[in-house]
Amino acid sequence: MSATGLIASIAGWTAVLVCAPLMQGTTEWTKARLAGKSGADPFQPYRTMYKLLRKEALAPTASTPLFWAGPLFSTAAVMLAIVGVPMAAGTPAAPWSDALVIAYLLLLSAVFLILAGLDTGTSFGGIGASRESMVAALAEPALMVALLGLTATASTTNVSTALVAIGSNQTPALSRLIIVVALVVLALAENARLPVDNPTTHLELTMIHEAMVLEHSGPQLALVTYGSALKLALFLLLIVGLLVPPAALATLGVGGVALGIGLVVVKLVVGGVLLGIAETFAVKIRIFRTPDLLTVAFVLALFGLMVGVAVR
Amino acid sequence: MSGLTFALAAISALASLLLVWEKSVSGSAVIYAVQAACVAGIALAGARDAGLLVLAIAVVALLAKAIVLPIALRRTVARAGSSIVVDASVHTPAALLVAFALIAVGFLAIGSVSAPAGLALGETLVGLWLVASRRALLSQVVGLMAAENGAALLMVVLAGEQGALVEGLLLLEAVAIPLALLALAALVRRAHGSADTSLLRSLSGNRDEG
């Protein structure tokens, strides 16, 4: 493992951890601009999180320490998953850079939030937690199959090796495109975005994620918001990695490392703008139609996996 | 197997899965057009060296199946006054999983002989599954058309070109039967006020319930 490669990886992960809220801010800014409003600037999520971190944290009387631990462990699980994604070809990733481990870390993150939501003892927390668990139960198998489709053609479950295989055109383009479509649907569902969930609504009949975290406040809410931004950034990195195979930037030295950081920021900003455009034109589907959409994602992932294996 | 043939066969099979998901007949017509264009594209590529007449038949097949039939389907729906047909007798997620299982069965059965043929067999089975799982006549016609696309693809990738007479008759069958069925569906709807086969009771002699 070269020292430059390690530095490139650490710099890339740090860029994602620092810039992930920027993607959310860019999405909201794009939506506001498309709706004809001036909107808050893309850095607003940082100010919101700073404000929340200084506020007092309150907890429902019926809650247990699980309520406090939920957001913390949920965000930590997503951070671990991000460190498992290589930032460029040839750069090291964490030893747990495995499709199954990443899928399970994302599920673990959702489970901690669900438990914290249930622990509030309120009806809203329970409703949100049950809805979130329904989405997670349907989305996680599809995510696992999509990640296996990404890695199967390289005869490994290691994401780092699979991305190198994609770079050397060992994975068929058609299979990759089908899996990308499945991953986009899953990213929207897993991150509580339209058309599965409306992140800006607080209507009791339609809330999923927001109902679950309604009782959280102060630093806990800041952690939940940050965790959501990280999860969205993780999906974006995987999708972009499938579409544009990562280049071996670490071999370029310090310039390559700087370029890698710049590319991460560009990916997050462009991803935020595209998500904002998509959400402006999307409408939320009824919660009972969500299984239809997630089954389509599951079947697409299976089909992509089948096509990839058949061509290999 | 050329890469293009496999890619077109895979898109065609994917379209058959989307047909199971799509509930609007108008939307199904667009998906069917894409599926038919992929199948006709494979036939067209194979007909390049088979003589001018066979090539002409392949071009006509492309135009008829990818343009004329979808337009006829959409016009029939427009005349019926509604484009949304929520008529599946099987829950959509279950129907989708069954459809993928059928494609996998087709692929496992003859995919080792030819991967596009495996997908084509699966596509045929999904078309028949659509016929079995839908209640509205128009949706069932779409299923039959999708099954015919699968059968045509299977013939093209396994048997190759069959000569102008056979190809011409197959094209006639592929276009005439769906058009006749669409006309029949329109007649049934006009006569009974519905083209939902589960609501039709006249054939069993109970006109009051129809």
Side-chain angles (χ1 to χ4, degrees):
Chain A
M1 182 193 303
S2 73
T4 321
L6 185 63
I7 291 169
S9 285
I10 292 171
W13 296 324
T14 310
V16 177
L17 296 180
V18 172
C19 299
L22 183 63
M23 184 180 175
Q24 273 191 337
T26 311
T27 302
E28 295 309 319
W29 176 81
T30 308
K31 284 165 72 175
R33 300 298 293 182
L34 287 174
K37 304 171 189 166
S38 56
D41 67 54
F43 295 98
Q44 184 59 35
Y46 292 100
R47 293 190 200 101
T48 308
M49 279 193 284
Y50 178 64
K51 182 185 77 180
L52 288 171
L53 284 171
R54 288 189 305 161
K55 280 185 177 288
E56 182 190 2
L58 298 171
T61 48
S63 65
T64 67
L66 193 61
F67 176 78
W68 303 101
L72 190 67
F73 285 111
S74 170
T75 308
V78 184
M79 287 170 91
L80 282 176
I82 283 182
V83 179
V85 178
M87 289 294 121
T91 55
W96 55 87
S97 174
D98 187 280
L100 297 175
V101 175
I102 288 176
Y104 274 116
L105 280 171
L106 291 176
L107 182 60
L108 193 65
S109 161
V111 165
F112 274 117
L113 276 187
I114 288 166
L115 288 176
L118 287 171
D119 194 51
T120 58
T122 62
S123 55
F124 262 138
I127 289 171
S130 66
R131 288 175 178 174
E132 182 85 358
S133 44
M134 183 195 82
V135 172
L138 292 167
E140 292 303 333
L143 176 64
M144 201 162 288
V145 175
L147 288 177
L148 284 177
L150 153 72
T151 55
T153 44
S155 300
T156 175
T157 54
N158 188 287
V159 175
S160 190
T161 314
L163 287 177
V164 173
I166 289 170
S168 55
N169 287 326
Q170 288 175 26
T171 310
L174 183 64
S175 164
R176 272 161 47 196
L177 276 176
I178 294 169
I179 290 172
V180 161
V181 175
L183 271 178
V184 168
V185 175
L186 293 171
L188 297 174
E190 288 262 8
N191 293 287
R193 312 297 305 193
L194 286 169
V196 176
D197 189 10
N198 187 350
T200 55
T201 188
H202 282 91
L203 292 172
E204 62 187 68
L205 287 175
T206 61
M207 277 193 290
I208 299 180
H209 183 79
E210 287 301 316
M212 187 174 61
V213 300
L214 203 62
E215 297 295 335
H216 288 92
S217 59
Q220 266 69 37
L221 186 56
L223 267 176
V224 169
T225 312
Y226 183 57
S228 301
L230 285 181
K231 206 171 175 182
L232 195 58
L234 172 67
F235 272 94
L236 179 83
L237 289 176
L238 284 172
I239 290 167
V240 174
L242 274 170
L243 285 174
V244 186
L249 295 173
T251 54
L252 301 176
V254 180
V257 174
L259 185 61
I261 294 172
L263 278 176
V264 167
V265 178
V266 169
K267 283 175 193 172
L268 292 175
V269 171
V270 172
V273 170
L274 291 177
L275 182 61
I277 294 170
E279 285 204 335
T280 303
F281 296 102
V283 288
K284 188 184 176 303
I285 57 172
R286 286 186 302 140
I287 194 162
F288 293 115
R289 292 293 305 274
T290 307
D292 293 11
L293 191 67
L294 292 174
T295 311
V296 168
F298 181 63
V299 167
L300 280 177
L302 275 174
F303 192 72
L305 174 66
M306 193 177 90
V307 168
V309 171
V311 171
R312 190 184 63 157
Chain B
M1 174 189 74
S2 78
L4 180 66
T5 303
F6 181 76
L8 288 174
I11 294 170
S12 177
L14 190 59
S16 67
L17 286 175
L18 293 178
L19 278 174
V20 177
W21 179 55
E22 179 61 57
K23 286 181 176 163
S24 136
V25 177
S26 298
S28 299
V30 176
I31 298 170
Y32 169 79
V34 172
Q35 187 188 44
C38 289
V39 175
I42 295 173
L44 202 58
R48 276 180 306 184
D49 305 324
L52 197 62
L53 194 55
V54 175
L55 191 64
I57 290 172
V59 172
V60 173
L62 175 65
L63 296 175
K65 291 174 76 174
I67 296 173
V68 175
L69 281 181
I71 289 175
L73 193 56
R74 286 178 75 101
R75 287 189 67 168
T76 310
V77 173
R79 281 182 188 167
S82 169
S83 65
I84 305 296
V85 182
V86 183
D87 69 326
S89 56
V90 181
H91 193 42
T92 305
L96 268 168
L97 292 175
V98 170
F100 178 77
L102 290 172
I103 287 188
V105 164
F107 195 77
L108 288 173
I110 57 169
S112 57
V113 179
S114 158
L119 291 173
L121 180 60
E123 201 177 314
T124 311
L125 295 174
V126 172
L128 296 175
W129 168 241
L130 269 173
V131 175
S133 63
R134 295 289 171 100
R135 290 198 297 247
L137 278 176
L138 285 178
S139 297
Q140 291 177 344
V141 174
V142 171
L144 196 72
M145 287 156 67
E148 194 280 327
N149 265 343
L153 180 58
L154 195 60
M155 191 196 75
V156 168
V157 294
L158 282 185
E161 300 304 324
Q162 296 296 308
L165 182 64
V166 177
E167 294 287 347
L169 287 172
L170 283 173
L171 172 63
L172 187 67
E173 174 264 331
V175 177
I177 290 180
L179 286 176
L181 287 174
L182 287 178
L184 189 63
L187 282 174
V188 168
R189 190 182 181 92
R190 195 178 304 161
H192 300 278
S194 167
D196 188 331
T197 50
S198 66
L199 297 176
L200 297 176
R201 295 285 182 273
S202 298
L203 291 178
S204 60
N206 191 353
R207 282 181 178 275
D208 294 334
E209 288 182 18

